[in-house]
Amino acid sequence: AKSFQFLSWFTVVTNLFCFGFCVRIFAKASLPNGRLMAVPCAAIITVFLVAAFVLKSPGDLRGLARYADILLHYGSPPLFSLLWWLCRDSETRAVPWVAAACYPMTYSVWIFLRGGLTGYYPYPFVDPAVRGFTSAAIHVLVMFGLYAAVLAILLIASTGTSNLKPPNAEPH
């Protein structure tokens, strides 16, 4: 039960997602398409932004838990962002937005289903018992909006606004 609770945290799941990309890069000794890496990069930047501006500081954590918290929230986001920056390419076509939405939406469904069954929600702002279901759902939508905005910024930074158009859109 504790291992599933551990996998309830968006921070942990996102860091594992990014770690998977790193393993792929170093195992193959080649860089993946920057378009693919934009999805976990947007997620890990969202982790950083929420940790920095919404969640409490790690000040109440001690020992290894404190160092892990700092590393996962504040260390890995800039490192993975740098790796994404090195992997991006100007020939990247648009990220399929529906596919890019799968990760945060699947996570949201997971925490609400699991929380409904066990009563455990990883964050107070998504706990319907604390905030009410409407407020919790609004918080999830705001988080998704933040993720989408970060993804759009990454795509624009990578190749300009052409990445925001569907892959088969007609040029103007």
Side-chain angles (χ1 to χ4, degrees), residues 10 33 65 68 80 111 115 145 163 168:
F10 189 73
N33 184 306
F80 193 80
I111 62 168
N163 266 336
N168 53 0

Side-chain angles (χ1 to χ4, degrees), residues 72-90:
L72 294 176
H73 287 104
Y74 304 104
S76 62
L79 291 174
F80 193 80
S81 298
L82 175 63
L83 186 60
W84 169 80
W85 186 258
L86 296 172
C87 292
R88 78 195 197 300
D89 61 32
S90 60

Side-chain angles (χ1 to χ4, degrees), residues 4-17:
F4 282 116
Q5 192 169 345
F6 183 71
L7 293 173
S8 297
W9 299 92
F10 189 73
T11 300
V12 171
V13 175
T14 301
N15 272 277
L16 289 172
F17 189 23

Side-chain angles (χ1 to χ4, degrees), residues 78-144:
L79 291 174
F80 193 80
S81 298
L82 175 63
L83 186 60
W84 169 80
W85 186 258
L86 296 172
C87 292
R88 78 195 197 300
D89 61 32
S90 60
E91 301 302 316
T92 300
R93 60 186 191 105
V95 168
W97 285 94
V98 172
C102 285
Y103 175 61
M105 295 310 284
T106 301
Y107 174 78
S108 299
V109 168
W110 159 252
I111 62 168
F112 281 122
L113 285 176
R114 186 180 183 287
L117 294 172
T118 65
Y120 175 77
Y121 294 87
Y123 303 100
F125 54 84
V126 295
D127 187 345
V130 173
R131 301 277 188 190
F133 186 79
T134 302
S135 179
I138 289 171
H139 279 94
V140 167
L141 290 174
V142 168
M143 301 294 284
F144 181 75

